[in-house]
Amino acid sequence: MHESLKSSTQPRRRRWLIALALLLAVFQAGAAWRALTVPADLATQISLPLSLEVLASATWAVAAALVALGLLHRHPRAGAYTAWLVIGFTGYSLARLAVFVRADYDRQRLPFLVVATIVVVMVPVAYLIRFRLTEKVTHGRKPED
């Protein structure tokens, strides 16, 4: 790829990834706050323990904020960390839905969500494979077949 074209697309991609990570951080911080402020009468109707919701949401908010900082500071592995964040959060969201689902509607849409999750996760997995191969080549080693 021509060097000037490559350098002009990287900042745009980085801004998009920073925005994605920051949105996830804000969204998850809001989810933690919402879980902390659920009225007691409503808390008894929720299948997911609120303490677990607060802990998980806060963890994802911090992880997303750290990824965004890595992208802002142009850490060499920030793209890989972003890919792992997307893979982890997508898997966590699906697992949470599968474990704590109560409504028949949600149970019926689980197969579709599994397929959609696989499709979504293919993009960051492909990036990680490409990143790993590129990393091996740039460190003086050839990728193994």
Side-chain angles (χ1 to χ4, degrees), residues 13 21 80 134 140:
R13 184 181 313 139
T134 305

Side-chain angles (χ1 to χ4, degrees), residues 20-123:
L20 176 71
L22 288 176
L23 280 172
L24 181 61
V26 168
F27 178 74
Q28 288 303 300
W33 178 254
R34 186 181 65 245
L36 284 171
T37 59
V38 169
D41 58 330
L42 184 60
T44 59
Q45 299 174 14
I46 299 173
S47 61
L48 176 65
L50 291 178
S51 57
L52 181 61
E53 175 71 17
V54 170
L55 179 65
S57 296
T59 301
W60 286 112
V62 169
L66 289 173
V67 165
L69 282 174
L71 289 165
L72 279 169
H73 293 292
R74 298 177 185 210
H75 188 278
R77 297 188 54 87
Y81 296 151
T82 306
W84 281 114
L85 178 73
V86 170
I87 292 167
F89 184 73
T90 305
Y92 158 77
S93 297
L94 181 64
R96 187 181 101 174
L97 182 63
V99 170
F100 295 105
V101 68
R102 282 188 175 175
D104 288 336
Y105 168 76
D106 288 331
R107 285 194 184 119
Q108 290 173 355
R109 68 185 184 137
L110 272 177
F112 169 76
L113 292 174
V114 168
V115 171
T117 299
I118 290 168
V119 170
V120 167
V121 167
M122 288 171 89
V123 174

